[in-house]
Amino acid sequence: ILKRGLTTDLSLWSWMHQTLEGQVARRNMSIVLLNDAGQSVMRFNVANAWPAKWSGPTLNAESSDIAIETLEIVHEGLTPLL
């Protein structure tokens, strides 16, 4: 399950929407963990991943919380690299 602050980058949304329309696009991808300085600390290579579920933020005009989107992916292999 991947979580991030909502951005104007629609690449994850487009990937999920493509799957909802019946065109499952499996992708090899990397998940990179960054430290506070923005430097790569750890990487996970993911094989043949595809989106299974997307959840958008709960929007509340009375709150200053960051809008978080969640993408659940399914994959055929995960390899951690230090």
Side-chain angles (χ1 to χ4, degrees):
I1 298 176
L2 306 174
K3 294 183 179 188
R4 72 173 183 177
L6 198 59
T7 70
T8 56
D9 178 357
L10 296 177
S11 57
L12 289 177
W13 168 255
S14 297
W15 187 33
M16 181 67 190
H17 189 262
Q18 183 180 6
T19 300
L20 289 173
E21 296 210 337
Q23 301 171 8
V24 178
R26 295 178 186 222
R27 297 184 180 170
N28 293 324
M29 59 192 293
S30 294
I31 300 168
V32 181
L33 302 179
L34 305 175
N35 62 17
D36 291 336
Q39 300 166 325
S40 175
V41 177
M42 188 170 196
R43 173 183 297 267
F44 296 89
N45 287 337
V46 184
N48 293 321
W50 67 94
K53 179 181 178 183
W54 179 87
S55 300
T58 302
L59 302 175
N60 181 348
E62 297 178 0
S63 173
S64 61
D65 292 344
I66 296 173
I68 302 291
E69 68 178 328
T70 303
L71 180 66
E72 184 175 332
I73 60 169
V74 181
H75 59 84
E76 294 180 355
L78 180 74
T79 305
L81 302 171
L82 297 175

